Amino acid sequence: MHRIGLILPHDFQLLNLAALTAFELTAASPGSPRYDLHLLSERGGPLRSSCGLIVETEAFGHPAFDTIIVGAITSFAMPAPSTANMIAFVRAAATASRRAASFCNGAYVLAEAGLLDGRRATTHWSQVASFKARFPTVRLEENKIFINDGPIWTSAGMTAAVDLALAMIDRDLGPQVAKLVARLLVVDRIRMGGQNQHSALLDMTPKSDRIQSVLAYTRQNLRSTLSVEELAGVAGLSPRQFSRAFLTETGQPPAKAVELLRLEAARFMMEEGRHSVNVVAKEAGFLDRERMRRAFLRTYGLSPQAMRKKARGEAES
């Protein structure tokens, strides 16, 4: 059984506990529960969350866990330095445990303990500038959902902690168990858009239902031509009216938006690694692999094959 200790700081976010649910749900697969979960705090006893809910915690004790995780606080300002006791326990736990991790701005604690020096890591996108200024020796990557560098794991925003937990479950118990847990949580085992914190669909936030319906139609019909005339018909507008309304509401002309959504789908499929480049190009609507390659180079600076190799290297690190 894997023992997991989640360190909850004062004013912690309840979403920290959502990731623990992922570990808990592995019990739904055949066999006994595979994770023994512990909530830890510096003094132990009742601990108040940022929204007022109180949970019972254990005081820091023996640091040997299979996995030790530092949770996040609500504040998106630069967190204050951790206490000496917290830093000492995290350092000891990282040495005594198989792996150490952080959710969201819990990465500050790992960095203060010196565990991220020279390593790749991530944190919430809103804190990238302050984190880099405070910890210049950390190789911070601001556009990742989570990163695994050796025995150290870090995640971005709080919902990304679930992605990190699923990846750990995949590593510990295999992809079938991780897939089952993801289905029970009703989330993607690998989030659409690969490891990006931002997605093309979220970056386009139209106000009207008709433009929103066009984006939904586009994502569901990437293999279609998706011409301006076709999309205008979905919106119930003339091509000229549609192009003007789409640009006003999304900040992108229709053709560019279609390409971004195709790229996002293609990147996900390339990083997942189950389909050939030709199949990915066809499924994402690029018609042929050369058009997809040019779009990848123009947007990501990498070819589809290089993107796949990079994703595989990150998964194996």
Side-chain angles (χ1 to χ4, degrees):
M1 182 177 290
H2 302 281
R3 294 181 71 237
I4 293 183
L6 173 60
I7 299 173
L8 295 177
H10 174 70
D11 202 34
F12 71 93
Q13 286 185 337
L14 278 182
L15 274 174
N16 283 289
L17 307 183
L20 289 191
T21 301
F23 293 114
E24 179 187 4
L25 287 177
T26 59
S29 64
S32 60
R34 295 172 172 85
Y35 292 97
D36 179 25
L37 307 175
H38 298 260
L39 299 180
L40 310 175
S41 67
E42 194 163 354
R43 295 181 177 84
L47 189 69
R48 186 183 181 89
S49 72
S50 58
C51 70
L53 188 143
I54 296 174
V55 299
E56 192 67 29
T57 64
E58 305 169 28
F60 293 162
H62 196 283
F65 285 85
D66 178 74
T67 303
I68 192 75
I69 304 172
V70 180
I73 62 174
T74 300
S75 173
F76 285 103
M78 183 187 293
S82 303
T83 65
N85 190 32
M86 169 83 79
I87 296 301
F89 179 77
V90 169
R91 282 178 181 150
T95 300
S97 304
R98 178 165 67 98
R99 62 192 173 197
S102 64
F103 296 158
C104 194
N105 54 25
Y108 278 82
V109 180
L110 295 186
E112 288 166 352
L115 302 179
L116 300 183
D117 290 347
R119 291 189 181 276
R120 297 169 54 244
T122 192
T123 189
H124 194 277
W125 61 266
S126 69
Q127 297 180 319
V128 166
S130 62
F131 191 98
K132 285 183 174 180
R134 188 157 156 183
F135 306 109
T137 61
V138 179
R139 295 159 55 195
L140 194 72
E141 298 186 20
E142 59 191 87
N143 198 29
K144 299 294 181 182
I145 291 176
F146 69 87
I147 287 179
N148 168 214
D149 188 334
I152 307 297
W153 298 62
T154 52
S155 77
M158 282 307 306
T159 59
V162 175
D163 296 271
L164 183 148
L166 288 170
M168 286 184 171
I169 293 168
D170 190 307
R171 182 74 59 86
D172 295 341
L173 307 176
Q176 292 307 313
V177 178
K179 183 177 180 180
L180 172 62
V181 172
R183 289 180 63 190
L184 291 172
L185 291 171
V186 197
V187 298
D188 291 324
R189 185 168 70 84
I190 302 176
R191 194 183 302 197
M192 178 60 74
Q195 299 304 317
N196 289 323
Q197 288 196 41
H198 301 280
S199 76
L201 197 60
L202 289 177
D203 286 342
M204 293 182 280
T205 54
K207 297 178 180 178
S208 68
D209 290 341
R210 65 173 61 193
I211 301 300
Q212 189 68 256
S213 68
V214 168
L215 289 175
Y217 175 87
T218 300
R219 193 166 187 177
Q220 294 166 10
N221 296 274
L222 291 176
R223 294 182 65 177
S224 179
T225 304
L226 297 176
S227 63
V228 170
E229 289 74 18
E230 180 180 354
L231 298 180
V234 174
L237 298 170
S238 71
R240 179 176 295 182
Q241 289 174 319
F242 166 71
S243 295
R244 186 182 303 115
F246 192 94
L247 178 61
T248 299
E249 293 193 31
T250 68
Q252 300 283 358
K256 181 63 175 177
V258 168
E259 181 180 80
L260 288 174
L261 290 172
R262 282 180 168 148
L263 278 166
E264 185 169 81
R267 177 172 179 170
F268 169 72
M269 287 187 282
M270 289 302 300
E271 291 179 332
E272 191 179 31
R274 293 191 297 139
H275 303 293
S276 69
V277 177
N278 287 334
V279 169
V280 171
K282 182 178 179 181
E283 291 298 317
F286 282 104
L287 300 181
D288 60 65
R289 59 187 293 164
E290 179 57 27
R291 293 189 186 188
M292 185 172 77
R293 188 187 72 85
R294 291 198 298 267
F296 264 67
L297 290 173
R298 185 167 58 248
T299 303
Y300 302 128
L302 293 172
S303 68
Q305 293 92 333
M307 186 75 72
R308 173 168 288 174
K309 289 179 181 178
K310 181 180 179 183
R312 285 174 174 169
E314 292 175 355
E316 294 168 357
S317 63

